[in-house]
Amino acid sequence: CSALLGVVPVVRLLKLLRRFQNFQLLLRAFKLAFEALPVLLFIWAILGLAAAAGLYMCEPRDNVATLGVSIWLSVVSMTTLGYGDFYPVSVPGRLIVCVLVLFSGLYMAIPLGIIGSAFSEVWNDRFRILLTERTRKRLQQAGYQARDIPFLFHIFDSNRDNSLDVEEFKTMVEFMQVGFRGRRVVELFDLFDGDGSGAIDDREFVKALFPESYHELYGAILKQSGQVCPCGNIFMEDSQFCRRCGSKRPVAALSEGAGSDVD
């Protein structure tokens, strides 16, 4: 019963995290920083174990009885907590702890700086991240997937220029019934129109909202059109053979490229 009383408030607080959209920014910042943290933590562990070994050799056994105690003393010193339950009594042990505290304090600034820099980068880009996440969830709730986007863009491309202007995009979003209207639709359009051309195509839309499915979706389209070799290499515009495996380019792709040159 006591365990239940301690766990239930924590679970209820965790459920509230769904209401805080900015929590996604914190998670994204940790994901960016996590790429560099394993190496830094590994070096930090080596530093602590080396100091623990030195303390175990230098301290008398009535003070540091086991290697586990010396590791605990080393960790407490590196984090500058200083509980006071264990402390060095010999001169070499005190010297080791002094050096350990100095170097670990300087070293801890590196991962903290990386995390702070990652969070600052994510916070400056918070509008795009939050709007992208909200749009992706709305599309998934409405039943749309990445493979539906090229078809929808083709339907609402009234002037057949392979892109949508803001009015065509508004019409498509209203038809999809994802809950965006007026100013939100314009903000969404400006988000995808990164080059400021006044138009977006289905590739820009899919790459921003479904990056995991982008290469799978358009890679399949390129393979069907003969632009990709069976080995996975992409044919150059004027190339008749694959530069990786030497396979001949399909005739359909060659005729398509020639037709585009004539046009």
Short mmCIF file of all heavy atoms in Angstrom, two decimals, residues 131 134-145 149 152 169-181 184-185 188 192 205 209-210:
data_model
loop_
_atom_site.label_atom_id
_atom_site.label_comp_id
_atom_site.label_asym_id
_atom_site.label_seq_id
_atom_site.Cartn_x
_atom_site.Cartn_y
_atom_site.Cartn_z
N LEU A 131 4.88 23.01 -34.69
CA LEU A 131 3.87 23.01 -35.75
C LEU A 131 3.97 21.74 -36.60
O LEU A 131 2.95 21.17 -37.01
CB LEU A 131 4.04 24.25 -36.64
CG LEU A 131 2.96 24.47 -37.71
CD1 LEU A 131 1.59 24.54 -37.06
CD2 LEU A 131 3.24 25.75 -38.48
N ARG A 134 2.46 18.90 -34.51
CA ARG A 134 1.00 19.02 -34.44
C ARG A 134 0.36 18.61 -35.76
O ARG A 134 -0.67 17.92 -35.78
CB ARG A 134 0.63 20.47 -34.10
CG ARG A 134 -0.85 20.65 -33.75
CD ARG A 134 -1.16 22.09 -33.42
NE ARG A 134 -0.29 22.57 -32.35
CZ ARG A 134 0.48 23.64 -32.46
NH1 ARG A 134 0.53 24.33 -33.59
NH2 ARG A 134 1.22 24.03 -31.43
N THR A 135 0.96 19.03 -36.87
CA THR A 135 0.42 18.67 -38.18
C THR A 135 0.50 17.17 -38.43
O THR A 135 -0.45 16.56 -38.94
CB THR A 135 1.18 19.42 -39.29
OG1 THR A 135 1.15 20.83 -39.02
CG2 THR A 135 0.57 19.15 -40.64
N ARG A 136 1.63 16.56 -38.07
CA ARG A 136 1.78 15.12 -38.27
C ARG A 136 0.74 14.34 -37.47
O ARG A 136 0.14 13.39 -37.97
CB ARG A 136 3.19 14.69 -37.86
CG ARG A 136 3.45 13.21 -38.13
CD ARG A 136 4.79 12.75 -37.60
NE ARG A 136 5.90 13.48 -38.21
CZ ARG A 136 6.66 14.36 -37.59
NH1 ARG A 136 6.46 14.62 -36.31
NH2 ARG A 136 7.64 14.97 -38.21
N LYS A 137 0.48 14.76 -36.22
CA LYS A 137 -0.51 14.06 -35.40
C LYS A 137 -1.91 14.24 -35.98
O LYS A 137 -2.70 13.29 -36.00
CB LYS A 137 -0.45 14.60 -33.96
CG LYS A 137 0.79 14.17 -33.20
CD LYS A 137 0.76 14.69 -31.78
CE LYS A 137 2.00 14.24 -31.01
NZ LYS A 137 2.01 14.77 -29.61
N ARG A 138 -2.21 15.45 -36.46
CA ARG A 138 -3.54 15.68 -37.04
C ARG A 138 -3.74 14.83 -38.29
O ARG A 138 -4.83 14.26 -38.50
CB ARG A 138 -3.69 17.16 -37.38
CG ARG A 138 -3.74 18.09 -36.18
CD ARG A 138 -5.07 18.02 -35.47
NE ARG A 138 -5.12 18.92 -34.33
CZ ARG A 138 -5.50 20.20 -34.40
NH1 ARG A 138 -5.84 20.72 -35.57
NH2 ARG A 138 -5.54 20.94 -33.31
N LEU A 139 -2.72 14.72 -39.12
CA LEU A 139 -2.83 13.91 -40.33
C LEU A 139 -3.02 12.43 -39.99
O LEU A 139 -3.83 11.74 -40.60
CB LEU A 139 -1.59 14.09 -41.20
CG LEU A 139 -1.43 15.43 -41.91
CD1 LEU A 139 -0.08 15.51 -42.61
CD2 LEU A 139 -2.55 15.63 -42.92
N GLN A 140 -2.27 11.95 -39.00
CA GLN A 140 -2.39 10.54 -38.61
C GLN A 140 -3.75 10.26 -37.97
O GLN A 140 -4.33 9.21 -38.20
CB GLN A 140 -1.26 10.18 -37.65
CG GLN A 140 0.12 10.18 -38.31
CD GLN A 140 1.25 9.97 -37.33
OE1 GLN A 140 1.07 10.09 -36.11
NE2 GLN A 140 2.44 9.67 -37.83
N GLN A 141 -4.27 11.21 -37.19
CA GLN A 141 -5.58 11.03 -36.59
C GLN A 141 -6.68 11.02 -37.65
O GLN A 141 -7.69 10.33 -37.49
CB GLN A 141 -5.85 12.14 -35.57
CG GLN A 141 -5.00 12.04 -34.32
CD GLN A 141 -5.15 13.25 -33.41
OE1 GLN A 141 -5.86 14.20 -33.73
NE2 GLN A 141 -4.48 13.21 -32.26
N ALA A 142 -6.47 11.78 -38.72
CA ALA A 142 -7.44 11.81 -39.82
C ALA A 142 -7.29 10.61 -40.76
O ALA A 142 -8.09 10.46 -41.68
CB ALA A 142 -7.31 13.11 -40.61
N GLY A 143 -6.26 9.78 -40.55
CA GLY A 143 -6.10 8.58 -41.35
C GLY A 143 -5.19 8.73 -42.56
O GLY A 143 -5.15 7.83 -43.40
N TYR A 144 -4.47 9.85 -42.66
CA TYR A 144 -3.60 10.07 -43.81
C TYR A 144 -2.19 9.57 -43.51
O TYR A 144 -1.70 9.69 -42.39
CB TYR A 144 -3.55 11.55 -44.18
CG TYR A 144 -4.86 12.08 -44.71
CD1 TYR A 144 -5.70 12.84 -43.89
CD2 TYR A 144 -5.26 11.83 -46.01
CE1 TYR A 144 -6.92 13.32 -44.36
CE2 TYR A 144 -6.48 12.31 -46.49
CZ TYR A 144 -7.29 13.06 -45.65
OH TYR A 144 -8.49 13.53 -46.12
N GLN A 145 -1.55 9.00 -44.53
CA GLN A 145 -0.18 8.53 -44.43
C GLN A 145 0.68 9.20 -45.50
O GLN A 145 0.17 9.93 -46.35
CB GLN A 145 -0.14 7.00 -44.57
CG GLN A 145 -0.92 6.28 -43.49
CD GLN A 145 -0.88 4.78 -43.66
OE1 GLN A 145 -0.24 4.26 -44.56
NE2 GLN A 145 -1.57 4.06 -42.78
N ILE A 149 0.06 11.61 -49.74
CA ILE A 149 0.35 13.01 -50.02
C ILE A 149 0.56 13.29 -51.51
O ILE A 149 -0.03 14.25 -52.04
CB ILE A 149 1.57 13.48 -49.20
CG1 ILE A 149 1.32 13.26 -47.70
CG2 ILE A 149 1.88 14.93 -49.48
CD1 ILE A 149 0.08 13.94 -47.17
N LEU A 152 -2.82 13.45 -53.21
CA LEU A 152 -3.59 14.64 -52.85
C LEU A 152 -3.04 15.89 -53.55
O LEU A 152 -3.82 16.73 -54.03
CB LEU A 152 -3.56 14.83 -51.34
CG LEU A 152 -4.34 13.82 -50.50
CD1 LEU A 152 -4.02 13.98 -49.03
CD2 LEU A 152 -5.84 13.99 -50.74
N PHE A 169 -3.26 25.13 -51.60
CA PHE A 169 -2.92 24.46 -50.35
C PHE A 169 -4.05 24.61 -49.33
O PHE A 169 -4.38 23.67 -48.60
CB PHE A 169 -1.63 25.03 -49.80
CG PHE A 169 -1.12 24.33 -48.58
CD1 PHE A 169 -0.53 23.08 -48.66
CD2 PHE A 169 -1.22 24.92 -47.32
CE1 PHE A 169 -0.07 22.42 -47.54
CE2 PHE A 169 -0.77 24.27 -46.19
CZ PHE A 169 -0.19 23.02 -46.30
N LYS A 170 -4.67 25.79 -49.25
CA LYS A 170 -5.80 26.00 -48.36
C LYS A 170 -6.95 25.05 -48.71
O LYS A 170 -7.57 24.46 -47.82
CB LYS A 170 -6.29 27.45 -48.43
CG LYS A 170 -5.41 28.45 -47.73
CD LYS A 170 -6.02 29.85 -47.86
CE LYS A 170 -5.16 30.87 -47.13
NZ LYS A 170 -5.75 32.25 -47.26
N THR A 171 -7.21 24.93 -50.00
CA THR A 171 -8.30 24.04 -50.44
C THR A 171 -8.02 22.60 -50.04
O THR A 171 -8.90 21.87 -49.58
CB THR A 171 -8.47 24.14 -51.96
OG1 THR A 171 -8.69 25.51 -52.34
CG2 THR A 171 -9.66 23.31 -52.43
N MET A 172 -6.78 22.16 -50.20
CA MET A 172 -6.42 20.79 -49.85
C MET A 172 -6.55 20.56 -48.35
O MET A 172 -7.08 19.53 -47.92
CB MET A 172 -5.00 20.48 -50.32
CG MET A 172 -4.58 19.04 -50.08
SD MET A 172 -2.85 18.70 -50.47
CE MET A 172 -2.04 19.47 -49.06
N VAL A 173 -6.07 21.50 -47.53
CA VAL A 173 -6.13 21.34 -46.07
C VAL A 173 -7.57 21.31 -45.59
O VAL A 173 -7.94 20.53 -44.69
CB VAL A 173 -5.33 22.46 -45.39
CG1 VAL A 173 -5.52 22.42 -43.88
CG2 VAL A 173 -3.85 22.34 -45.72
N GLU A 174 -8.43 22.16 -46.18
CA GLU A 174 -9.84 22.15 -45.80
C GLU A 174 -10.49 20.83 -46.16
O GLU A 174 -11.32 20.30 -45.42
CB GLU A 174 -10.56 23.31 -46.47
CG GLU A 174 -10.16 24.68 -45.94
CD GLU A 174 -10.83 25.81 -46.70
OE1 GLU A 174 -11.62 25.51 -47.63
OE2 GLU A 174 -10.57 26.98 -46.37
N PHE A 175 -10.12 20.27 -47.32
CA PHE A 175 -10.68 18.99 -47.74
C PHE A 175 -10.22 17.86 -46.81
O PHE A 175 -11.00 16.96 -46.49
CB PHE A 175 -10.25 18.68 -49.18
CG PHE A 175 -10.59 17.29 -49.63
CD1 PHE A 175 -11.85 16.97 -50.06
CD2 PHE A 175 -9.62 16.29 -49.61
CE1 PHE A 175 -12.17 15.68 -50.47
CE2 PHE A 175 -9.92 15.00 -50.01
CZ PHE A 175 -11.20 14.70 -50.45
N MET A 176 -8.98 17.93 -46.34
CA MET A 176 -8.44 16.87 -45.49
C MET A 176 -9.04 16.90 -44.08
O MET A 176 -8.97 15.90 -43.36
CB MET A 176 -6.92 17.02 -45.40
CG MET A 176 -6.21 16.79 -46.73
SD MET A 176 -4.46 17.23 -46.69
CE MET A 176 -3.81 15.95 -45.62
N GLN A 177 -9.62 18.04 -43.68
CA GLN A 177 -10.29 18.17 -42.38
C GLN A 177 -9.37 17.77 -41.22
O GLN A 177 -9.69 16.90 -40.41
CB GLN A 177 -11.57 17.33 -42.35
CG GLN A 177 -12.62 17.77 -43.35
CD GLN A 177 -13.88 16.94 -43.29
OE1 GLN A 177 -13.96 15.95 -42.58
NE2 GLN A 177 -14.90 17.34 -44.03
N VAL A 178 -8.22 18.42 -41.18
CA VAL A 178 -7.26 18.13 -40.11
C VAL A 178 -7.32 19.16 -38.98
O VAL A 178 -6.52 19.10 -38.05
CB VAL A 178 -5.83 18.08 -40.68
CG1 VAL A 178 -5.67 16.88 -41.59
CG2 VAL A 178 -5.46 19.36 -41.41
N GLY A 179 -8.24 20.12 -39.07
CA GLY A 179 -8.44 21.05 -37.97
C GLY A 179 -7.70 22.37 -38.10
O GLY A 179 -7.72 23.17 -37.16
N PHE A 180 -7.04 22.64 -39.23
CA PHE A 180 -6.34 23.91 -39.42
C PHE A 180 -7.18 24.82 -40.31
O PHE A 180 -7.69 24.40 -41.34
CB PHE A 180 -4.98 23.68 -40.09
CG PHE A 180 -3.97 23.02 -39.18
CD1 PHE A 180 -3.30 21.89 -39.59
CD2 PHE A 180 -3.71 23.53 -37.93
CE1 PHE A 180 -2.38 21.28 -38.76
CE2 PHE A 180 -2.79 22.93 -37.10
CZ PHE A 180 -2.13 21.80 -37.50
N ARG A 181 -7.27 26.09 -39.90
CA ARG A 181 -8.04 27.06 -40.68
C ARG A 181 -7.35 28.42 -40.62
O ARG A 181 -6.62 28.72 -39.69
CB ARG A 181 -9.47 27.20 -40.13
CG ARG A 181 -10.28 25.93 -40.20
CD ARG A 181 -11.71 26.13 -39.69
NE ARG A 181 -12.47 24.90 -39.70
CZ ARG A 181 -13.08 24.41 -40.78
NH1 ARG A 181 -13.02 25.08 -41.91
NH2 ARG A 181 -13.75 23.27 -40.70
N ARG A 184 -3.55 29.58 -39.37
CA ARG A 184 -2.76 28.36 -39.17
C ARG A 184 -2.36 27.72 -40.50
O ARG A 184 -1.27 27.19 -40.64
CB ARG A 184 -3.55 27.36 -38.33
CG ARG A 184 -3.64 27.72 -36.86
CD ARG A 184 -2.27 27.65 -36.20
NE ARG A 184 -2.34 27.91 -34.77
CZ ARG A 184 -1.30 28.01 -33.98
NH1 ARG A 184 -0.09 27.89 -34.50
NH2 ARG A 184 -1.43 28.25 -32.71
N VAL A 185 -3.26 27.76 -41.47
CA VAL A 185 -2.95 27.19 -42.78
C VAL A 185 -1.84 27.97 -43.46
O VAL A 185 -0.92 27.40 -44.05
CB VAL A 185 -4.21 27.15 -43.66
CG1 VAL A 185 -3.88 26.58 -45.04
CG2 VAL A 185 -5.30 26.32 -43.01
N LEU A 188 1.40 27.17 -41.80
CA LEU A 188 1.84 25.85 -42.25
C LEU A 188 2.45 25.92 -43.64
O LEU A 188 3.48 25.30 -43.93
CB LEU A 188 0.67 24.88 -42.22
CG LEU A 188 0.98 23.41 -42.44
CD1 LEU A 188 1.87 22.89 -41.33
CD2 LEU A 188 -0.31 22.59 -42.50
N PHE A 192 6.59 25.11 -44.89
CA PHE A 192 7.09 24.21 -45.92
C PHE A 192 7.73 24.96 -47.09
O PHE A 192 8.57 24.39 -47.79
CB PHE A 192 5.96 23.33 -46.45
CG PHE A 192 5.36 22.44 -45.41
CD1 PHE A 192 4.01 22.45 -45.15
CD2 PHE A 192 6.16 21.59 -44.66
CE1 PHE A 192 3.46 21.63 -44.19
CE2 PHE A 192 5.63 20.77 -43.69
CZ PHE A 192 4.27 20.79 -43.45
N PHE A 205 6.65 18.59 -48.64
CA PHE A 205 5.66 18.30 -47.61
C PHE A 205 5.97 16.98 -46.90
O PHE A 205 5.99 16.91 -45.67
CB PHE A 205 4.27 18.24 -48.26
CG PHE A 205 3.13 18.29 -47.29
CD1 PHE A 205 2.62 19.50 -46.84
CD2 PHE A 205 2.55 17.12 -46.83
CE1 PHE A 205 1.57 19.54 -45.95
CE2 PHE A 205 1.50 17.15 -45.93
CZ PHE A 205 1.00 18.36 -45.50
N LEU A 209 7.27 16.28 -42.88
CA LEU A 209 6.35 15.63 -41.95
C LEU A 209 6.64 14.14 -41.75
O LEU A 209 6.43 13.61 -40.66
CB LEU A 209 4.91 15.78 -42.44
CG LEU A 209 4.33 17.19 -42.39
CD1 LEU A 209 2.90 17.18 -42.91
CD2 LEU A 209 4.38 17.76 -40.99
N PHE A 210 7.12 13.47 -42.79
CA PHE A 210 7.37 12.04 -42.71
C PHE A 210 8.78 11.73 -43.21
O PHE A 210 8.94 11.10 -44.26
CB PHE A 210 6.34 11.26 -43.54
CG PHE A 210 4.92 11.57 -43.19
CD1 PHE A 210 4.18 12.46 -43.94
CD2 PHE A 210 4.32 10.96 -42.10
CE1 PHE A 210 2.86 12.73 -43.64
CE2 PHE A 210 3.00 11.24 -41.77
CZ PHE A 210 2.27 12.13 -42.54
#
